[in-house]
Amino acid sequence: MMISIRFPSVHFTVRQLPYGLCPLWIEPDGRFALIVKAPKEVILTAQVRQEIKIYLVPGTDNDRQMLGLITCFFDDSDEPLCITSPLFAGDAMLEDVRLLLCQEKFDVHMFDGNDRELFATRACVQDGKRLRTSFESSVFPELDIDKVPALLKAMGAWFGQRTPADDAESFTVRFTKHLMPADIGIIDLSGGDHDFRDIGHSLVVDSLERQDPGPLQERDIAALLRRVFGHDAVLLNPLRADTGKELTDVLVMTSDVILLLQAKDSPNTEVALNRSIVRKRSTIRGHIEKGARQLQGALQFVMSGEARIRRGDGIVAIEIGARALRGALVVRELFDDDYKASSEPVLKVIHQTQVPCVLLDYAGLFAMANNLSTSEQLINGFDRLYGVAVQHGEFPKPRFLPATIIDGS
């Protein structure tokens, strides 16, 4: 059964989590369950493939050193979706992960960035004895916050250069029994972040598989931004008063800032999941080109001084005044080795409009909104990404340590 139904209080824990793994002790069951918080593409991959793979990443200090885990969801055989989890000696996370994975069986519950449980399954580790032996014989580094960025980089570099022998040494977690229906639909009646009825949007049924992803992704982004900017500051699909056409996908208006956000997504289906990396890259590039043009048009309209939108039964003028104007383009995913080429259309928008803009994938936006929880912090974080992009000709991938944005510069 879904853990969010058995134990509704789990939502408080899940809401505090970034993307990643969280072993959770279930008192009535007397064992650990695994909470995975991840983008919808990761969750669908797990559901379709019916397994995940775990790599223990070696260090270089000695033959027994391990740096942590990389958990892989193989949508592509060579470039899978990954969750990187550094582990540290003496940290409770290391002990909890060890106890979890060394169980004969355990439950996996997967939540998306808006804290909805979308997949749950019973699982077991193939060759669990070898995994237990690996944990018992390994040593892990001491936690040093200053060294974490380098450690994450080292883990990523190792995985990118892994050999067939490394693949053979990985551990397969197989799913043995679904704990919730695979085709579940979710209707949010809580009146919270997803309730957009005040601006004419009715409630919708959401699901893991999305044939028409755009409206649902835009809704997810607006809900995410409401946590930062407040309920009334975030408008979904605002319409221009003069033409009745959409101004932008998400509009944020506070006393200090006006943020225009364009979003682009692809279907979240098994067919889309199985497309080649080449095609996925090409699709993302096309989305960025189109989204950048739309963002530029929206920014220029707001800068013209003629911008008015419909809200409820009235008309609202968008007056910049002393407020900072910002733009953002959010796409499904960005590939680590493709940031420079992907950045070019958005850098062109910056040049044409002289408005600070950022390019992010959904995971990057989630990371920033999850770690920068006030309007001022998040806009400052966007401005840091913008500054790095202007200086280096490409947007960085946001990384976070506690209360710190790692800007890649």
Side-chain angles (χ1 to χ4, degrees), residues 74 79 103 146 177 189 209 223 251 292-293:
F74 276 88
E79 298 185 49
Q103 295 175 130
D146 293 335
K177 177 184 178 183
L189 298 174
E209 285 208 53
L251 172 65
R293 291 194 299 269

Side-chain angles (χ1 to χ4, degrees), residues 132-161:
R132 286 191 289 273
T133 300
S134 295
F135 268 108
E136 290 168 359
S137 62
S138 298
V139 295
F140 292 84
E142 299 289 335
L143 175 60
D144 183 338
I145 290 294
D146 293 335
K147 294 181 179 179
V148 171
L151 186 149
L152 290 170
K153 186 175 182 180
M155 292 180 71
W158 176 87
F159 187 77
Q161 299 170 12

